[in-house]
Amino acid sequence: MRIAQRALDAEPFHAMALIQNATAIEQAGHRVIRLNIGEPSFGAPESVRKAMVDAMDGRPLPYSFALGMPALRERISWFYKERHGVDVDPARIAITSGASSALLLVTAATVDPGADVLLADPSYPCNREIVTSFGGNVVAIPTSPATRYQLTAQMLEDAWTDRTQAVMVATPSNPTGTSLPTDELAAVCDLAKARGAWRIVDEIYLDLADPDADGTPPQTVLAHDAEAIVVNSFSKYFGMTGWRLGWVVLPESLVKPAETLAMDFFLSASTPAQIAALACFEPEALAEAEARRVELVARRQLMVEGLARIGLPVDSEPDGAFYAYPDVSPTGMDAWTFCERALTEAHVALTPGKDFGETHGDTHVRLSYASSREDIVEGIDRLGRWLDSLPPR
């Protein structure tokens, strides 16, 4: 029997080996500070957890429609209007089994074999693997602190080919936590639209981004480009990672094709998770989620200041999500060695840049400040003592 070539070619999460090592160290009786996981420590808001319990009262829980429960699609539409000031027809919103399923769905709907898809290096690794699985060509454009590790319209212009079919943007980004400025995002979308390419914008961390100086929430790309494809999730802002529930806003022309693919790929998202997610948009849950965003800003400050104190300054300070992406090359170690030794010698788990792209893969590591304040302080202190113990270079 023959294994499909796409399965053989797929790149694993290299950091999984370090996660397994961290578990082994814990099983040996040591406490590992995990600053490697992109998962909020809070969990879902209390009212959402209660709604899930109530949903499991013995009632039938049949499949929902392929694009999701109408009531939930309407509430998400309300949220875009209430928080971001944009009108989104609920008919254009598809509920998916997490944002990963949304990315899979829209890639299947927009990327032909042989087509080029432009995205930033570094970026979320699954995007590259999904594009490749559907036969697309990933064009990973090197970025730097000069653009806060984000794409610009000029970068797209320079990398464009007659095979370019889609542009993928994440703002705020994983692994850097940096956002694309509103005017530059508009320029990126305008260029791609003028050339007939899809704009796939990952806004999973949008509601964890810093508000404007006047307190206005961060702006969705839909405020400028109503036909952009926007991926989002309940995982980050609402802390519902294990619930596997996301959504995607589609251009009208993609709704029917996406519905057909959703039927074939997934049938539907979890019915009880969708029922419980309705509670996310009640005042109590929204207030709790916003308080957590503010807490993450405080954790960010702890991490950024702590890293600077131990000689690992962050060259592009994050303004959203919950990641910092410092350069560790001044230590004389590549990123993988740094993470291996930090784990085995300081018992601090980090994520090497290798998973996020080639350009900075050997020089940068990702730290998550989704962990508790106590773990952030202890983790940075451990790293500092460890670095101080190393022989001078």
Side-chain angles (χ1 to χ4, degrees):
M1 293 181 288
R2 180 176 176 179
I3 299 173
Q5 192 60 43
R6 71 176 62 86
L8 297 174
D9 291 341
E11 286 286 329
F13 271 108
H14 298 288
M16 285 303 298
L18 295 176
I19 292 173
Q20 292 170 355
N21 291 345
T23 300
I25 290 170
E26 286 176 329
Q27 290 173 344
H30 302 284
R31 180 169 180 256
V32 174
I33 303 294
R34 293 181 180 259
L35 302 181
N36 59 327
I37 303 298
E39 185 167 37
S41 62
F42 311 114
E46 181 179 358
S47 58
V48 178
R49 299 196 303 270
K50 183 178 184 302
M52 176 60 95
V53 172
D54 292 344
M56 306 301 288
D57 60 1
R59 76 184 76 176
L61 294 169
Y63 301 122
S64 75
F65 294 112
L67 296 185
M69 292 173 50
L72 184 56
R73 297 163 74 190
E74 289 167 6
R75 291 302 279 166
I76 293 171
S77 172
W78 170 88
F79 186 64
Y80 276 107
K81 180 65 173 179
E82 180 72 13
R83 186 172 179 86
H84 299 290
V86 296
D87 292 308
V88 179
D89 185 349
R92 293 175 51 206
I93 297 170
I95 310 300
T96 58
S97 299
S100 296
S101 293
L103 288 162
L104 186 69
L105 187 67
V106 299
T107 304
T110 61
V111 178
D112 285 315
D116 286 351
V117 178
L118 310 187
L119 46 75
D121 179 354
S123 62
Y124 185 56
C126 291
N127 293 356
R128 302 192 301 271
E129 294 303 321
I130 291 171
V131 169
T132 301
S133 291
F134 283 106
N137 300 317
V138 174
V139 180
I141 302 173
T143 63
S144 72
T147 63
R148 292 177 53 74
Y149 299 104
Q150 290 283 357
L151 295 177
T152 67
Q154 185 60 56
M155 289 178 181
L156 294 185
E157 178 84 39
D158 294 342
W160 206 274
T161 73
D162 57 5
R163 299 183 304 276
T164 301
Q165 195 164 349
V167 175
M168 284 186 169
V169 175
T171 178
S173 168
N174 178 5
T176 65
T178 60
S179 301
L180 191 57
T182 301
D183 57 349
E184 193 63 54
L185 178 59
V188 163
C189 289
D190 288 347
L191 174 66
K193 183 177 181 179
R195 299 188 177 192
W198 299 101
R199 290 81 63 206
I200 302 170
V201 183
D202 177 345
E203 292 187 344
I204 292 168
Y205 298 99
L206 177 66
D207 291 301
L208 292 177
D210 294 346
D212 292 341
D214 63 0
T216 303
Q219 189 177 86
T220 171
V221 69
L222 294 168
H224 176 79
D225 185 353
E227 294 298 298
I229 301 167
V230 175
V231 173
N232 211 316
S233 172
F234 290 89
S235 292
K236 309 303 182 179
Y237 184 63
F238 294 108
M240 296 167 62
T241 52
W243 298 56
R244 306 316 302 134
L245 200 64
W247 74 85
V248 57
V249 180
L250 299 159
E252 187 175 346
S253 62
L254 271 186
V255 171
K256 192 61 182 177
E259 182 177 26
T260 301
L261 289 170
M263 290 177 185
D264 291 338
F265 286 0
F266 319 117
L267 199 59
S268 67
S270 162
T271 296
Q274 291 187 70
I275 293 170
L278 290 168
C280 289
F281 304 104
E282 298 300 325
E284 179 183 354
L286 288 171
E288 188 173 349
E290 188 59 18
R292 292 170 170 185
R293 184 195 65 77
V294 173
E295 167 62 17
L296 285 170
V297 173
R299 296 182 186 186
R300 176 205 304 168
Q301 203 65 23
L302 278 177
M303 177 164 283
V304 170
E305 291 178 355
L307 287 170
R309 186 181 70 250
I310 66 172
L312 297 174
V314 179
D315 49 24
S316 290
E317 187 167 330
D319 60 357
F322 31 66
Y323 304 116
Y325 202 56
D327 182 353
V328 298
S329 61
T331 66
M333 289 177 273
D334 64 76
W336 185 266
T337 302
F338 185 96
C339 290
E340 278 190 318
R341 293 189 62 181
L343 178 58
T344 58
E345 298 172 29
H347 297 162
V348 179
L350 310 170
T351 302
K354 185 175 182 179
D355 278 326
F356 304 106
E358 294 183 1
T359 305
H360 306 282
D362 286 335
T363 58
H364 286 61
V365 303
R366 191 194 74 177
L367 294 87
S368 169
Y369 52 86
S371 301
S372 68
R373 292 196 194 195
E374 293 74 18
D375 277 1
I376 292 169
V377 170
E378 174 65 19
I380 298 295
D381 285 347
R382 288 189 188 185
L383 289 174
R385 291 193 298 270
W386 168 60
L387 289 172
D388 287 343
S389 73
L390 299 177
R393 293 187 61 229

